[in-house]
Amino acid sequence: KGRISLVQCRRWKVNQVGVGPVRELYDALDKHDAYNGICISAGAFSEAARRFAAGKPIALVQGAELAQLIGKTGVKNMRRQGI
């Protein structure tokens, strides 16, 4: 049996992503018997959200880290396409 990962994306650039969406993702992990979750935001996560995720199978990906991941993926895709 494979592992299930859930991904949640938030498009909040100005305000921080609070604990609510991270808590929702955690509840969804239990509901769907998922192995882990990844919460992605173009902005930042609040301190409360980071504290809630600490020690749980949830990765928070934000701002600069997200840009780096997109950059790496973009370069790989361009190489595959011969660009």
Side-chain angles (χ1 to χ4, degrees), residues 12 15-23 39 44-50:
W12 295 357
N15 297 325
Q16 293 182 338
V17 176
V19 70
V22 180
R23 191 180 308 274
C39 191
F45 292 94
S46 70
E47 180 61 32
R50 289 192 296 274

Side-chain angles (χ1 to χ4, degrees), residues 3 6 11 19 40 45 57 59 72 80 82-83:
R3 292 182 176 168
L6 299 181
R11 190 179 172 253
V19 70
I40 301 172
F45 292 94
K72 288 178 185 177
R80 274 192 224 135
I83 299 173

Side-chain angles (χ1 to χ4, degrees), residues 16-82:
Q16 293 182 338
V17 176
V19 70
V22 180
R23 191 180 308 274
E24 290 171 9
L25 178 59
Y26 186 67
D27 291 343
L29 294 179
D30 184 50
K31 181 179 178 182
H32 297 285
D33 196 28
Y35 177 74
N36 65 349
I38 304 165
C39 191
I40 301 172
S41 172
F45 292 94
S46 70
E47 180 61 32
R50 289 192 296 274
R51 277 195 313 268
F52 180 81
K56 295 178 176 66
I58 297 175
L60 302 179
V61 179
Q62 65 184 17
E65 184 181 3
L66 176 60
Q68 287 178 338
L69 289 172
I70 292 170
K72 288 178 185 177
T73 302
V75 169
K76 287 180 185 177
N77 287 339
M78 288 171 39
R79 287 182 185 152
R80 274 192 224 135
Q81 295 173 9

